[in-house]
Amino acid sequence: TEATVTASTVENANSLKRKSDDIGWQYGKLVDPNNKDKVMCNFCKNVNSGGINRFKKHIAQVGGGVAKCKSCPNEAKLACLNWLEGTEKKKQDKVVRELGLRSDVNVSSGGQQEEDLTCAAVAFNAIENDEFKQMVEAIGQFGPGLKPPTQYELREPLLKAEYARTKSLLSDREAEKEKNGCSIMTDAWTDMKRRSIMNIVTHCAEGTSFIKSKDTSAISHTGEVIFELVDNAIEEVGAEHVVQVVTDNASNNMAAKALLLEKRPNIFWSSCATHTINLMLQGIGNIPRFKKIVDQAKGFTIFIYGHHRTLECMRSFTKKREIIRPGVTRFASQFLTLQSLLDKKDSLRKMVVDAKWENIKETSSKKGKEAYDTVLSVRFWNGVEICLKVFEPLVKLLRLVDGDVKPSMGFVYGELLKAKREIKEAFKNEELRYKEVIAIVEKKMRGRLDAPLHLTAYLLNPHYSYADSSIFDNADITTALITCVEQFYHGCDEDIHDEVVNIEFTKFQRKQGLFGKKMAKNCVNFDYNPG
């Protein structure tokens, strides 16, 4: 997402500026907190225009065109005079130093200048930023003598200009929010210092925008706390622009959902589809017959990457193609690991029977023998294939909901139904074999991905309803539509409800008016955005 510069960042920069000017603020104060140019002298009560630096000249009784303070004590006069003289000397020293630095620069085609460098703790990967490359090019085009911005220029005019530019980049998103609304999304995570952080962002058709980040380490993550954070974000964005709130499925979020529904009955609260599908994959992966295969694959991969000689051996047989290793939290990575192993099946089987493998000391260990047995096991590879057939439909859906290619709400329920069909087919439609897997999928989706909003989006997506007219006759789905209309238009005149359900929806169902146009009928294509 587009990085944003908050107003608080600008204020923090300003506070640093004020701290550096403490000597002046000991003897004066702002007339108007919003105008830093006018400073009143504590001694003579004279109001000086021109900022704190000019005010210090007033106290020190120096400088042309500056009113001299006749009431200040000698101590204040000397303090400001010393500060001004010190500042002037620093400026002169800086000019001399910079001239020396520039004169030391010797650009040649062959050599590299060696000198003592001070570290600014900038990460090495910063050199990969496009902005850094553009900056280097701009400096080159300018030629010698380019002066970098001062600290003041960075923290005042340049920072404010960047803040204004960034706000302008978000104008399309703001317009989209006002036109079609947006979703408020939360993301709780723990940083490297073990602090609990709650991020809140908005999402609309134009993209995602950051709102705020709050350190919640010192407070309990109760439903009331989460509700307050979300409700404040809704207030900040404007309740009239918020359609739904999206969070994961934790019990505290469900408690916050109930509180929000009570205060704002027209805003939907949806479970995160990515989180829910990951829970499905986790549950299926924990079924003993699948867990055994996953653990064997994980054990083999860990052994290979745990020793540099086995790793080099593997790379020589796979022509330097890596095995995708399983992640800690992303259960879809189990699928990727199995797929990666299956793609290299023949190479890996050749590897463990080759003399090069036998000559590696670690392969004679218990773990080495287990890795050998795993790769040569027909049962293991058959298990890998059935795991992939079961995982794949859900991984495809995960990619759909976790990507930014198009809004996925209209496809979640329909693709879940499709995934269930494909899982059953993987077990040749034998209920005894697929029953446990389907039970996990249905348990995780219940109340989360089959809510009235999902069913309504499924109904209003021509890809499904125009291809299968029986969907219009499904009582659960049409009831979901009515439920969504009542919630979305909560408190509105009942004539609006009637217009949506009995007039607009009927036109859609019968393909009348604009819905009968050829372009509308083309929306049966999966690649079209049903919105």
PDB file of all heavy atoms in Angstrom, residues 124-148:
ATOM      1  N   PHE A 124      21.346  -2.218   4.191  1.00  0.00           N
ATOM      2  CA  PHE A 124      21.967  -2.431   2.890  1.00  0.00           C
ATOM      3  C   PHE A 124      20.945  -2.509   1.761  1.00  0.00           C
ATOM      4  O   PHE A 124      21.200  -2.080   0.640  1.00  0.00           O
ATOM      5  CB  PHE A 124      22.797  -3.720   2.905  1.00  0.00           C
ATOM      6  CG  PHE A 124      24.029  -3.637   3.754  1.00  0.00           C
ATOM      7  CD1 PHE A 124      24.238  -4.532   4.791  1.00  0.00           C
ATOM      8  CD2 PHE A 124      24.986  -2.658   3.521  1.00  0.00           C
ATOM      9  CE1 PHE A 124      25.372  -4.461   5.576  1.00  0.00           C
ATOM     10  CE2 PHE A 124      26.126  -2.573   4.295  1.00  0.00           C
ATOM     11  CZ  PHE A 124      26.325  -3.477   5.336  1.00  0.00           C
ATOM     12  N   ASN A 125      19.758  -3.080   2.052  1.00  0.00           N
ATOM     13  CA  ASN A 125      18.769  -3.239   0.970  1.00  0.00           C
ATOM     14  C   ASN A 125      18.151  -1.913   0.532  1.00  0.00           C
ATOM     15  O   ASN A 125      17.397  -1.871  -0.429  1.00  0.00           O
ATOM     16  CB  ASN A 125      17.667  -4.230   1.374  1.00  0.00           C
ATOM     17  CG  ASN A 125      16.874  -3.773   2.579  1.00  0.00           C
ATOM     18  OD1 ASN A 125      17.078  -2.676   3.091  1.00  0.00           O
ATOM     19  ND2 ASN A 125      15.968  -4.619   3.043  1.00  0.00           N
ATOM     20  N   ALA A 126      18.481  -0.822   1.224  1.00  0.00           N
ATOM     21  CA  ALA A 126      17.974   0.489   0.801  1.00  0.00           C
ATOM     22  C   ALA A 126      18.499   0.856  -0.583  1.00  0.00           C
ATOM     23  O   ALA A 126      17.877   1.627  -1.320  1.00  0.00           O
ATOM     24  CB  ALA A 126      18.375   1.561   1.816  1.00  0.00           C
ATOM     25  N   ILE A 127      19.641   0.270  -0.934  1.00  0.00           N
ATOM     26  CA  ILE A 127      20.236   0.592  -2.234  1.00  0.00           C
ATOM     27  C   ILE A 127      19.398   0.054  -3.387  1.00  0.00           C
ATOM     28  O   ILE A 127      19.539   0.474  -4.526  1.00  0.00           O
ATOM     29  CB  ILE A 127      21.680   0.039  -2.308  1.00  0.00           C
ATOM     30  CG1 ILE A 127      22.496   0.798  -3.347  1.00  0.00           C
ATOM     31  CG2 ILE A 127      21.688  -1.464  -2.603  1.00  0.00           C
ATOM     32  CD1 ILE A 127      23.968   0.493  -3.301  1.00  0.00           C
ATOM     33  N   GLU A 128      18.477  -0.889  -3.079  1.00  0.00           N
ATOM     34  CA  GLU A 128      17.615  -1.460  -4.109  1.00  0.00           C
ATOM     35  C   GLU A 128      16.378  -0.600  -4.381  1.00  0.00           C
ATOM     36  O   GLU A 128      15.634  -0.867  -5.324  1.00  0.00           O
ATOM     37  CB  GLU A 128      17.176  -2.875  -3.707  1.00  0.00           C
ATOM     38  CG  GLU A 128      18.329  -3.863  -3.561  1.00  0.00           C
ATOM     39  CD  GLU A 128      19.094  -4.064  -4.863  1.00  0.00           C
ATOM     40  OE1 GLU A 128      18.470  -3.953  -5.934  1.00  0.00           O
ATOM     41  OE2 GLU A 128      20.308  -4.323  -4.815  1.00  0.00           O
ATOM     42  N   ASN A 129      16.133   0.394  -3.543  1.00  0.00           N
ATOM     43  CA  ASN A 129      14.964   1.247  -3.729  1.00  0.00           C
ATOM     44  C   ASN A 129      15.064   2.036  -5.033  1.00  0.00           C
ATOM     45  O   ASN A 129      16.108   2.618  -5.340  1.00  0.00           O
ATOM     46  CB  ASN A 129      14.812   2.240  -2.566  1.00  0.00           C
ATOM     47  CG  ASN A 129      14.404   1.557  -1.277  1.00  0.00           C
ATOM     48  OD1 ASN A 129      14.017   0.398  -1.297  1.00  0.00           O
ATOM     49  ND2 ASN A 129      14.508   2.265  -0.175  1.00  0.00           N
ATOM     50  N   ASP A 130      13.973   2.079  -5.762  1.00  0.00           N
ATOM     51  CA  ASP A 130      13.959   2.866  -7.005  1.00  0.00           C
ATOM     52  C   ASP A 130      14.236   4.334  -6.727  1.00  0.00           C
ATOM     53  O   ASP A 130      14.894   5.022  -7.514  1.00  0.00           O
ATOM     54  CB  ASP A 130      12.606   2.711  -7.712  1.00  0.00           C
ATOM     55  CG  ASP A 130      12.425   1.324  -8.306  1.00  0.00           C
ATOM     56  OD1 ASP A 130      13.442   0.609  -8.458  1.00  0.00           O
ATOM     57  OD2 ASP A 130      11.280   0.951  -8.611  1.00  0.00           O
ATOM     58  N   GLU A 131      13.738   4.822  -5.578  1.00  0.00           N
ATOM     59  CA  GLU A 131      13.932   6.230  -5.238  1.00  0.00           C
ATOM     60  C   GLU A 131      15.411   6.556  -5.039  1.00  0.00           C
ATOM     61  O   GLU A 131      15.869   7.649  -5.389  1.00  0.00           O
ATOM     62  CB  GLU A 131      13.144   6.589  -3.966  1.00  0.00           C
ATOM     63  CG  GLU A 131      11.648   6.578  -4.123  1.00  0.00           C
ATOM     64  CD  GLU A 131      11.056   5.183  -3.986  1.00  0.00           C
ATOM     65  OE1 GLU A 131      11.833   4.208  -3.815  1.00  0.00           O
ATOM     66  OE2 GLU A 131       9.823   5.051  -4.077  1.00  0.00           O
ATOM     67  N   PHE A 132      16.162   5.609  -4.471  1.00  0.00           N
ATOM     68  CA  PHE A 132      17.599   5.833  -4.288  1.00  0.00           C
ATOM     69  C   PHE A 132      18.304   5.947  -5.643  1.00  0.00           C
ATOM     70  O   PHE A 132      19.147   6.820  -5.854  1.00  0.00           O
ATOM     71  CB  PHE A 132      18.207   4.693  -3.468  1.00  0.00           C
ATOM     72  CG  PHE A 132      19.704   4.776  -3.333  1.00  0.00           C
ATOM     73  CD1 PHE A 132      20.279   5.640  -2.410  1.00  0.00           C
ATOM     74  CD2 PHE A 132      20.537   4.014  -4.143  1.00  0.00           C
ATOM     75  CE1 PHE A 132      21.658   5.730  -2.294  1.00  0.00           C
ATOM     76  CE2 PHE A 132      21.915   4.101  -4.038  1.00  0.00           C
ATOM     77  CZ  PHE A 132      22.481   4.959  -3.100  1.00  0.00           C
ATOM     78  N   LYS A 133      17.928   5.072  -6.563  1.00  0.00           N
ATOM     79  CA  LYS A 133      18.537   5.093  -7.898  1.00  0.00           C
ATOM     80  C   LYS A 133      18.188   6.391  -8.633  1.00  0.00           C
ATOM     81  O   LYS A 133      19.025   6.967  -9.327  1.00  0.00           O
ATOM     82  CB  LYS A 133      18.058   3.876  -8.695  1.00  0.00           C
ATOM     83  CG  LYS A 133      18.526   2.560  -8.083  1.00  0.00           C
ATOM     84  CD  LYS A 133      17.876   1.348  -8.751  1.00  0.00           C
ATOM     85  CE  LYS A 133      18.294   0.060  -8.055  1.00  0.00           C
ATOM     86  NZ  LYS A 133      17.624  -1.128  -8.614  1.00  0.00           N
ATOM     87  N   GLN A 134      16.940   6.851  -8.457  1.00  0.00           N
ATOM     88  CA  GLN A 134      16.540   8.111  -9.076  1.00  0.00           C
ATOM     89  C   GLN A 134      17.307   9.285  -8.472  1.00  0.00           C
ATOM     90  O   GLN A 134      17.686  10.228  -9.174  1.00  0.00           O
ATOM     91  CB  GLN A 134      15.030   8.319  -8.912  1.00  0.00           C
ATOM     92  CG  GLN A 134      14.198   7.363  -9.755  1.00  0.00           C
ATOM     93  CD  GLN A 134      12.717   7.517  -9.485  1.00  0.00           C
ATOM     94  OE1 GLN A 134      12.308   7.823  -8.378  1.00  0.00           O
ATOM     95  NE2 GLN A 134      11.901   7.298 -10.502  1.00  0.00           N
ATOM     96  N   MET A 135      17.538   9.211  -7.150  1.00  0.00           N
ATOM     97  CA  MET A 135      18.276  10.283  -6.480  1.00  0.00           C
ATOM     98  C   MET A 135      19.705  10.360  -7.014  1.00  0.00           C
ATOM     99  O   MET A 135      20.221  11.448  -7.301  1.00  0.00           O
ATOM    100  CB  MET A 135      18.293  10.035  -4.967  1.00  0.00           C
ATOM    101  CG  MET A 135      19.043  11.101  -4.185  1.00  0.00           C
ATOM    102  SD  MET A 135      19.249  10.674  -2.448  1.00  0.00           S
ATOM    103  CE  MET A 135      20.542   9.445  -2.551  1.00  0.00           C
ATOM    104  N   VAL A 136      20.348   9.196  -7.156  1.00  0.00           N
ATOM    105  CA  VAL A 136      21.720   9.161  -7.671  1.00  0.00           C
ATOM    106  C   VAL A 136      21.770   9.744  -9.084  1.00  0.00           C
ATOM    107  O   VAL A 136      22.661  10.525  -9.424  1.00  0.00           O
ATOM    108  CB  VAL A 136      22.255   7.714  -7.655  1.00  0.00           C
ATOM    109  CG1 VAL A 136      23.603   7.644  -8.374  1.00  0.00           C
ATOM    110  CG2 VAL A 136      22.398   7.211  -6.218  1.00  0.00           C
ATOM    111  N   GLU A 137      20.789   9.378  -9.907  1.00  0.00           N
ATOM    112  CA  GLU A 137      20.742   9.895 -11.272  1.00  0.00           C
ATOM    113  C   GLU A 137      20.542  11.411 -11.270  1.00  0.00           C
ATOM    114  O   GLU A 137      21.188  12.136 -12.052  1.00  0.00           O
ATOM    115  CB  GLU A 137      19.606   9.214 -12.043  1.00  0.00           C
ATOM    116  CG  GLU A 137      19.381   9.749 -13.455  1.00  0.00           C
ATOM    117  CD  GLU A 137      20.570   9.564 -14.365  1.00  0.00           C
ATOM    118  OE1 GLU A 137      21.399   8.663 -14.105  1.00  0.00           O
ATOM    119  OE2 GLU A 137      20.692  10.329 -15.345  1.00  0.00           O
ATOM    120  N   ALA A 138      19.660  11.900 -10.391  1.00  0.00           N
ATOM    121  CA  ALA A 138      19.406  13.339 -10.321  1.00  0.00           C
ATOM    122  C   ALA A 138      20.661  14.101  -9.895  1.00  0.00           C
ATOM    123  O   ALA A 138      20.977  15.164 -10.449  1.00  0.00           O
ATOM    124  CB  ALA A 138      18.267  13.621  -9.344  1.00  0.00           C
ATOM    125  N   ILE A 139      21.393  13.543  -8.936  1.00  0.00           N
ATOM    126  CA  ILE A 139      22.634  14.186  -8.491  1.00  0.00           C
ATOM    127  C   ILE A 139      23.639  14.226  -9.633  1.00  0.00           C
ATOM    128  O   ILE A 139      24.323  15.227  -9.861  1.00  0.00           O
ATOM    129  CB  ILE A 139      23.217  13.439  -7.275  1.00  0.00           C
ATOM    130  CG1 ILE A 139      22.285  13.598  -6.067  1.00  0.00           C
ATOM    131  CG2 ILE A 139      24.612  13.955  -6.938  1.00  0.00           C
ATOM    132  CD1 ILE A 139      22.669  12.734  -4.879  1.00  0.00           C
ATOM    133  N   GLY A 140      23.726  13.116 -10.379  1.00  0.00           N
ATOM    134  CA  GLY A 140      24.645  13.064 -11.502  1.00  0.00           C
ATOM    135  C   GLY A 140      24.307  14.085 -12.568  1.00  0.00           C
ATOM    136  O   GLY A 140      25.192  14.728 -13.142  1.00  0.00           O
ATOM    137  N   GLN A 141      22.997  14.243 -12.836  1.00  0.00           N
ATOM    138  CA  GLN A 141      22.579  15.211 -13.848  1.00  0.00           C
ATOM    139  C   GLN A 141      22.834  16.641 -13.398  1.00  0.00           C
ATOM    140  O   GLN A 141      23.143  17.518 -14.214  1.00  0.00           O
ATOM    141  CB  GLN A 141      21.089  15.016 -14.171  1.00  0.00           C
ATOM    142  CG  GLN A 141      20.777  13.733 -14.927  1.00  0.00           C
ATOM    143  CD  GLN A 141      19.319  13.640 -15.323  1.00  0.00           C
ATOM    144  OE1 GLN A 141      18.599  14.646 -15.309  1.00  0.00           O
ATOM    145  NE2 GLN A 141      18.858  12.446 -15.663  1.00  0.00           N
ATOM    146  N   PHE A 142      22.751  16.906 -12.096  1.00  0.00           N
ATOM    147  CA  PHE A 142      22.970  18.258 -11.589  1.00  0.00           C
ATOM    148  C   PHE A 142      24.425  18.665 -11.761  1.00  0.00           C
ATOM    149  O   PHE A 142      24.733  19.785 -12.142  1.00  0.00           O
ATOM    150  CB  PHE A 142      22.565  18.341 -10.118  1.00  0.00           C
ATOM    151  CG  PHE A 142      22.690  19.723  -9.535  1.00  0.00           C
ATOM    152  CD1 PHE A 142      21.611  20.587  -9.565  1.00  0.00           C
ATOM    153  CD2 PHE A 142      23.882  20.158  -8.964  1.00  0.00           C
ATOM    154  CE1 PHE A 142      21.722  21.869  -9.039  1.00  0.00           C
ATOM    155  CE2 PHE A 142      24.004  21.429  -8.442  1.00  0.00           C
ATOM    156  CZ  PHE A 142      22.910  22.278  -8.478  1.00  0.00           C
ATOM    157  N   GLY A 143      25.304  17.705 -11.460  1.00  0.00           N
ATOM    158  CA  GLY A 143      26.724  18.013 -11.557  1.00  0.00           C
ATOM    159  C   GLY A 143      27.313  18.410 -10.212  1.00  0.00           C
ATOM    160  O   GLY A 143      26.656  18.315  -9.183  1.00  0.00           O
ATOM    161  N   PRO A 144      28.561  18.892 -10.178  1.00  0.00           N
ATOM    162  CA  PRO A 144      29.224  19.232  -8.912  1.00  0.00           C
ATOM    163  C   PRO A 144      28.581  20.434  -8.232  1.00  0.00           C
ATOM    164  O   PRO A 144      27.978  21.283  -8.875  1.00  0.00           O
ATOM    165  CB  PRO A 144      30.660  19.547  -9.346  1.00  0.00           C
ATOM    166  CG  PRO A 144      30.540  19.946 -10.783  1.00  0.00           C
ATOM    167  CD  PRO A 144      29.443  19.106 -11.349  1.00  0.00           C
ATOM    168  N   GLY A 145      28.724  20.452  -6.900  1.00  0.00           N
ATOM    169  CA  GLY A 145      28.269  21.615  -6.142  1.00  0.00           C
ATOM    170  C   GLY A 145      26.859  21.520  -5.607  1.00  0.00           C
ATOM    171  O   GLY A 145      26.353  22.485  -5.032  1.00  0.00           O
ATOM    172  N   LEU A 146      26.178  20.369  -5.764  1.00  0.00           N
ATOM    173  CA  LEU A 146      24.807  20.237  -5.256  1.00  0.00           C
ATOM    174  C   LEU A 146      24.823  20.241  -3.734  1.00  0.00           C
ATOM    175  O   LEU A 146      25.544  19.471  -3.102  1.00  0.00           O
ATOM    176  CB  LEU A 146      24.176  18.934  -5.772  1.00  0.00           C
ATOM    177  CG  LEU A 146      22.796  18.601  -5.191  1.00  0.00           C
ATOM    178  CD1 LEU A 146      21.763  19.634  -5.627  1.00  0.00           C
ATOM    179  CD2 LEU A 146      22.364  17.195  -5.622  1.00  0.00           C
ATOM    180  N   LYS A 147      24.032  21.101  -3.131  1.00  0.00           N
ATOM    181  CA  LYS A 147      23.951  21.171  -1.677  1.00  0.00           C
ATOM    182  C   LYS A 147      22.748  20.360  -1.198  1.00  0.00           C
ATOM    183  O   LYS A 147      21.634  20.551  -1.677  1.00  0.00           O
ATOM    184  CB  LYS A 147      23.801  22.622  -1.215  1.00  0.00           C
ATOM    185  CG  LYS A 147      25.046  23.463  -1.438  1.00  0.00           C
ATOM    186  CD  LYS A 147      24.867  24.862  -0.851  1.00  0.00           C
ATOM    187  CE  LYS A 147      26.134  25.689  -1.030  1.00  0.00           C
ATOM    188  NZ  LYS A 147      25.973  27.050  -0.469  1.00  0.00           N
ATOM    189  N   PRO A 148      22.952  19.450  -0.245  1.00  0.00           N
ATOM    190  CA  PRO A 148      21.824  18.666   0.276  1.00  0.00           C
ATOM    191  C   PRO A 148      20.921  19.549   1.129  1.00  0.00           C
ATOM    192  O   PRO A 148      21.341  20.609   1.601  1.00  0.00           O
ATOM    193  CB  PRO A 148      22.507  17.591   1.121  1.00  0.00           C
ATOM    194  CG  PRO A 148      23.796  18.213   1.547  1.00  0.00           C
ATOM    195  CD  PRO A 148      24.224  19.080   0.403  1.00  0.00           C
TER     196      PRO A 148
END
